[in-house]
Amino acid sequence: MTEPTFTTQVSRWYTQHARDLPWRHPEVGAWAILVSEVMLQQTPVARVLPAWTDWMARWPTPADLAAEPPAEAIRMWGRLGYPRRAVRLREAAVAMVERHGGQVPNRLEQLLALPGVGTYTARAVAAFAYGQRHPVVDTNVRRVICRAVAGEPDAGPATRPADLVAAEELLPAEPAAAALASAAFMELGAVVCTARSPRCGSCPVASICAWRASGEPAPAGPTRRPQRYAGTDRQVRGLLLGVLREAPAPVPRQRLDQVWADETQRFRALAGLVNDGLVEQVNEAYFRLAGDGPPILLS
């Protein structure tokens, strides 16, 4: 399968069928794209859309967010899940103010040096915000390449160096075309070449898909099940954060004790929030969101 056949067809499909998402609009800058990429990690687009819109309205630049305490980022994050991302995004904004004049850097190594910005996010911002040629590989991209190019049903649980190599081999030489192709691969995996119910009849490369040509074999190993949420520490952490987000002042431990009946699990979840830098223990009796006001002593 050659690059002009596969990549050109997927890119052409993308230009005609891509979802109209606000962070894809041409006037949107690198900061808006970085925020969207962080929010979209393990979170569906439908949940991210209103959160991204509110976030950008309040903090349209990194400097706007950097001027706020961590507690405000946590509050604004709401119920997107994995709220540590909000704290790291604010830390990245502070770093941008301190190192890059309040701008999102355009060099890959500078992006990678920002707090909370990993390999995927750095490459995504470099490609989608600055039109650079970098392989941008998430679960959707890995699935598309694994199926259409390699003929395998499943790409495995984690990104490997070989996945970056395989993606880069499919990218056109011209940077802008490569950035478009990276977005196209991702979109195809998100809306057509999905994990459980691929819409092969709508796929622009179905006729040259190696997986279809081999009879669409099922994965050899067990299929990964969605992670359970109910009853987990994640649920308890979310309930505790919900109380603290809504509170205008530090919250007494007795109020937090009402959130969850299991004392051991509740204590573990609260301790985890403190260790992650999301919650501060004001004294033995009171808790608050991290950085939510000056140090105080309550009796």
Side-chain angles (χ1 to χ4, degrees):
M1 184 181 299
T2 61
E3 175 269 314
T5 301
F6 179 78
T7 303
T8 301
Q9 290 187 31
V10 176
S11 297
R12 186 179 298 126
W13 167 86
Y14 176 80
T15 60
Q16 298 173 354
H17 300 284
R19 290 169 293 178
D20 182 18
L21 302 177
W23 46 83
R24 289 176 174 170
H25 292 179
E27 71 275 8
V28 166
W31 169 241
I33 292 172
L34 173 59
V35 172
S36 74
E37 291 295 341
V38 173
M39 287 186 169
L40 286 165
Q41 296 168 13
Q42 299 178 288
T43 308
V45 168
R47 292 182 59 199
V48 168
L49 277 167
W52 180 88
T53 300
D54 292 343
W55 187 283
M56 294 307 303
R58 180 169 179 178
W59 298 311
T61 71
D64 295 320
L65 176 59
E68 298 270 17
E72 291 307 304
I74 298 168
R75 282 197 174 94
M76 201 69 177
W77 198 258
R79 299 186 179 278
L80 278 181
Y82 303 100
R84 180 66 178 152
R85 292 180 292 172
V87 176
R88 298 295 276 171
L89 189 53
R90 180 191 168 274
E91 291 172 352
V94 172
M96 283 182 261
V97 171
E98 294 175 347
R99 305 174 197 168
H100 304 291
Q103 302 298 313
V104 179
N106 61 6
R107 289 166 50 190
L108 184 61
E109 62 271 22
Q110 293 174 331
L111 288 164
L112 287 167
L114 295 174
V117 176
T119 299
Y120 164 78
T121 303
R123 291 175 181 276
V125 173
F128 304 149
Y130 295 115
Q132 297 175 10
R133 186 184 187 275
H134 296 288
V136 183
V137 180
D138 69 350
T139 300
N140 292 316
V141 174
R142 289 169 56 236
R143 186 188 315 112
V144 165
I145 295 176
C146 185
R147 284 178 178 170
V149 179
E152 300 292 335
D154 194 339
T159 300
R160 305 161 300 170
D163 296 320
L164 292 172
V165 173
E168 186 165 16
E169 288 177 347
L170 292 168
L171 296 180
E174 201 276 316
L180 175 65
S182 291
F185 297 157
M186 194 175 301
E187 184 78 345
L188 187 67
V191 302
V192 175
C193 192
T194 56
R196 291 180 176 80
S197 302
R199 298 167 47 227
C200 296
S202 301
C203 180
V205 289
S207 63
I208 55 174
C209 175
W211 181 58
R212 291 197 77 201
S214 62
E216 301 181 10
T223 302
R224 285 183 296 164
R225 297 179 180 178
Q227 291 183 340
R228 181 174 61 93
Y229 179 75
T232 63
D233 284 5
R234 278 189 60 214
Q235 183 185 17
V236 183
R237 285 164 60 102
L239 293 171
L240 292 168
L241 275 181
V243 172
L244 293 165
R245 275 198 308 267
E246 299 298 325
V251 176
R253 185 186 290 272
Q254 294 93 325
R255 171 68 183 88
L256 297 176
D257 288 345
Q258 300 171 17
V259 164
W260 197 256
D262 187 326
E263 181 179 3
T264 300
Q265 188 177 24
R266 186 180 66 246
F267 180 84
R268 184 172 64 242
L270 183 58
L273 291 171
V274 173
N275 289 337
D276 287 347
L278 295 167
V279 172
E280 294 175 348
Q281 185 169 359
V282 180
N283 58 23
E284 292 185 359
Y286 284 82
F287 295 82
R288 67 185 180 187
L289 294 180
D292 199 10
I296 57 175
L297 178 63
L298 298 180
S299 58

